[in-house]
Amino acid sequence: MNSLNKEGLSKVPAVTLIFWIIKIAATTLGETGGDSVSMSMHLGYLVGTGIFAVIFLVAVASQIIAKRFHPFLYWTTIIATTTVGTTLADFADRSLGIGYAGGASLLFTLLVVSLLIWHRTLGSISINTVSSTRAEIFYWVTIMFSQTLGTALGDWTASTVGLGYVGGAMVFSALLALVVATYYWTNVSRVFLFWVAFVLTRPLGAVVGDFLDKPLSAGGLALSRYAATAVILAFILTSVLILPQRAAERAH
């Protein structure tokens, strides 16, 4: 049997409240960590993207090679997608000059195309089916697009629309609350709601991260990017260490 079709144990976590708490923290870390490298270290968006892209590829390869679910490895890979997503979105929006709206539109299209190809190829985009190499590749490519899209959405909402970081956080929190209400009180596809929530947690983390480290004149708290990154990373490590997580159940 082709190794790409060979099924194994699920290596992604079950979707629980703990999952979403760590996910939001990881997306916030992606913003402060990405900005630390591209801005505070003055390496620029392109170099920053290159650095984080290498880390992302190594992490994804390690995740695919792994035989079972490893919480630290999984969340390392998620953090890698958020950091490279931050610098890549900033590079597209600012350095290439396509703007936040243009970047968000392009990334939304790439995300939808990725999901459609994944569904057409394997018949499902549920995380419960991520138990083969091919499914994992689709999973991480889709996550990469969603994280980058989330960064562009956060910047667009806070800057272009003019809501600011606090206003943007309130908007995305409200949208996530709507997703939760839809989950509990309707029969809307759980798979669809998962991906909507997954995308929305990224701009929430982006605007929170910007709120922490942007200058007071821009509506932020002007905290050190390095300090904010260290504190959020410590929170994630502690959460992964002490909060129980299990692998998602495989679809049969």
Side-chain angles (χ1 to χ4, degrees):
M1 180 183 296
N2 189 307
S3 61
L4 290 178
N5 295 319
K6 186 178 180 179
E7 293 193 352
L9 298 175
S10 176
K11 289 178 282 180
V12 301
V15 180
T16 62
L17 178 59
I18 294 171
F19 172 88
W20 292 116
I21 290 173
I22 300 176
K23 170 62 165 60
I24 293 172
T27 60
T28 307
L29 174 62
E31 193 70 20
T32 59
D35 287 348
S36 294
V37 172
S38 62
M39 297 181 184
S40 296
M41 293 183 183
H42 306 291
L43 295 179
Y45 302 126
L46 184 58
V47 173
T49 298
I51 292 172
F52 289 125
V54 171
I55 296 173
F56 166 69
L57 291 173
V58 171
V60 169
S62 300
Q63 176 73 16
I64 291 174
I65 292 171
K67 301 299 182 183
R68 60 186 179 84
F69 171 58
H70 296 281
F72 281 104
L73 176 58
Y74 176 83
W75 288 111
T76 295
T77 311
I78 287 291
I79 291 171
T81 66
T82 65
T83 49
V84 71
T86 295
T87 54
L88 182 58
D90 286 342
F91 176 73
D93 297 339
R94 300 168 188 174
S95 298
L96 294 183
I98 62 177
Y100 297 128
S105 299
L106 173 62
L107 291 163
F108 177 75
T109 300
L110 291 173
L111 174 62
V112 171
V113 169
S114 175
L115 288 168
L116 288 174
I117 295 175
W118 180 1
H119 189 276
R120 183 176 180 83
T121 302
L122 299 182
S124 175
I125 56 174
S126 169
I127 64 165
N128 293 330
T129 64
V130 182
S131 56
S132 68
T133 301
R134 182 178 294 180
E136 281 193 89
I137 291 173
F138 278 119
Y139 177 79
W140 289 112
V141 168
T142 301
I143 284 180
M144 177 65 198
F145 287 142
S146 76
Q147 304 281 43
T148 310
L149 168 63
T151 300
L153 282 176
D155 289 341
W156 177 70
T157 303
S159 300
T160 305
V161 178
L163 293 179
Y165 304 124
V166 175
M170 292 176 64
V171 167
F172 291 115
S173 294
L175 290 173
L176 283 168
L178 180 61
V179 173
V180 172
T182 304
Y183 177 87
Y184 282 108
W185 296 327
T186 74
N187 293 320
V188 173
S189 168
R190 276 29 185 171
V191 174
F192 171 75
L193 291 177
F194 168 81
W195 286 110
V196 171
F198 200 96
V199 170
L200 288 176
T201 52
R202 179 61 182 111
L204 174 59
V207 293
V208 170
D210 281 337
F211 175 67
L212 293 176
D213 64 33
K214 288 297 187 288
L216 294 173
S217 59
L221 294 179
L223 300 178
S224 164
R225 291 190 179 103
Y226 301 129
T229 299
V231 171
I232 299 168
L233 180 59
F235 172 79
I236 294 173
L237 291 174
T238 302
S239 298
V240 174
L241 186 63
I242 67 175
L243 298 177
Q245 294 184 75
R246 66 180 189 279
E249 294 183 3
R250 276 183 51 194
H252 297 288

